[in-house]
Amino acid sequence: MSTTLTLPAAGQVARLLTGIVGRTVTAASRPRPGVQKAGVKFYGVFRESVTGAVSVCVCDLALCASASGAMLLFPLPAVKEAVRTGRIEDGMLDAVREIFNICARLFNDRGHYVFENLHASPETLAGDAAAVVREPSQQVEIDVTIPEYGGGAMRILIGEAQ
Amino acid sequence: MKILVVDDSKAMRMIVRRALRSAGFGQECVLEATNGVEAFHMVESEKPDLLLCDWNMPEATGLELLEKLKASGIDVDFGFVTSEATEEMRARASAAGALFLIAKPFTPEHFQEVLGKYTPR
């Protein structure tokens, strides 16, 4: 049997991130997916605990740096430096992992999705997660704005249930 | 009052500390542990009044920690602060003796509301 997930809405993403970073985040879906800019991205893999179905959330460096920086109340120059150099320091990376962990709730309207792991490259993804990135059954791209810290893009990729 | 925050994420321990301060618990002594094993030893040595514990952690999960505390006859107020908060998990937490389960993301107001019931102020 195959079931499909409802894609998380931009408003849902905004509410969740607002709760995480403690400031009013706004988010808007892009009309056409597949246009996320090149550059460093982080891949969060989520697995449904019963069916094993996989979904992936891809966030660009700008979003990861600004969200983790806002969550930790880092000074803005440190966030800008991370975006400029393409490198996130360990404390911010720990916060990024926690943000992805909490983002599992975006998928839980149709099952019990658990954050499995975080990847800094699609090349290290397991086969089923890599397949979802290559050919998602559904996807949405969302531009996220975090007051003072900037923001970035999030891409949510849904795989078929197994 | 002593509060022990147990979470393998340094970032989340910091966020919980911040929420405690904002919720009016800034005067309390807040200790930290990074997993269930470390937390068990700290409960024995530091004798905290309240544990705020993540569910999924390496070494020993929050639920395993709670069960071990109960089995050892250690009676300490215990609540979960976790990103997963299914009804099944809430039921398991309650059955094991947890007083509450706070889902992430949380607000200082949420901490105030929940912790206010269990802590002398």
Side-chain angles (χ1 to χ4, degrees):
Chain A
M1 187 182 74
S2 174
T3 56
T4 54
L5 277 169
T6 306
L7 279 165
Q12 196 182 348
V13 170
R15 281 192 297 279
L16 191 68
L17 289 176
T18 294
I20 293 172
V21 305
R23 54 189 74 216
T24 306
V25 173
T26 55
S29 303
R30 291 179 176 170
R32 274 192 316 129
V35 291
Q36 198 172 31
K37 287 179 189 169
V40 178
K41 296 183 185 70
F42 290 88
Y43 298 76
V45 178
F46 302 85
R47 191 176 296 278
E48 211 285 329
S49 58
V50 177
T51 66
V54 170
S55 291
V56 180
C57 179
V58 188
C59 293
D60 65 15
L61 177 68
L63 178 55
C64 289
S66 54
S68 60
M71 182 180 180
L72 298 171
L73 296 177
F74 267 31
L76 190 54
V79 173
K80 287 183 173 173
E81 181 67 6
V83 176
R84 189 185 68 78
T85 60
R87 295 176 65 182
I88 283 193
E89 58 101 340
D90 288 348
M92 290 173 86
L93 192 58
D94 181 35
V96 169
R97 198 170 283 113
E98 193 61 37
I99 290 167
F100 273 102
N101 185 29
I102 297 171
C103 281
R105 302 186 77 171
L106 292 171
F107 304 102
N108 278 343
D109 58 339
R110 294 288 177 85
H112 178 218
Y113 276 77
V114 177
F115 173 58
E116 196 167 74
N117 45 39
L118 179 67
H119 297 259
S121 163
E123 289 165 14
T124 58
L125 292 170
D128 52 1
V132 171
V133 172
R134 276 195 312 273
E135 285 187 50
S137 62
Q138 298 177 80
Q139 61 178 310
V140 63
E141 284 187 14
I142 297 171
D143 286 313
V144 177
T145 303
I146 302 172
E148 296 179 58
Y149 283 87
M154 171 187 283
R155 191 174 175 204
I156 298 170
L157 308 165
I158 306 287
E160 290 289 348
Q162 295 179 342
Chain B
M1 186 175 79
K2 277 187 186 174
I3 300 174
L4 176 59
V5 178
V6 191
D7 199 308
D8 56 318
S9 164
K10 186 179 176 185
M12 190 46 65
R13 294 197 304 274
M14 199 190 87
I15 302 298
V16 170
R17 272 179 174 271
R18 196 163 75 207
L20 283 170
R21 273 199 306 274
S22 300
F25 298 94
Q27 303 302 314
E28 315 301 343
C29 173
V30 180
L31 308 166
E32 295 183 14
T34 60
N35 62 59
V37 174
E38 189 185 341
F40 184 81
H41 293 309
M42 286 187 73
V43 170
E44 288 184 309
S45 61
E46 300 290 337
K47 305 200 178 341
D49 303 289
L50 171 68
L51 266 74
L52 298 177
C53 188
D54 190 15
W55 189 286
N56 290 310
M57 294 179 294
E59 305 291 333
T61 66
L63 191 62
E64 287 166 348
L65 169 62
L66 176 56
E67 288 169 347
K68 189 175 175 186
L69 289 168
K70 295 290 181 191
S72 304
I74 299 172
D75 189 23
V76 57
D77 286 355
F78 192 109
F80 285 102
V81 180
T82 178
S83 56
E84 290 183 68
T86 62
E87 285 309 311
E88 184 204 345
M89 287 172 72
R90 287 183 187 279
R92 289 176 69 193
S94 178
L99 297 174
F100 55 83
L101 189 153
I102 296 175
K104 302 173 189 172
F106 47 76
T107 62
E109 292 74 23
H110 197 181
F111 264 50
Q112 203 168 37
E113 181 190 332
V114 176
L115 269 60
K117 295 177 192 167
Y118 302 104
T119 54
R121 300 290 302 279

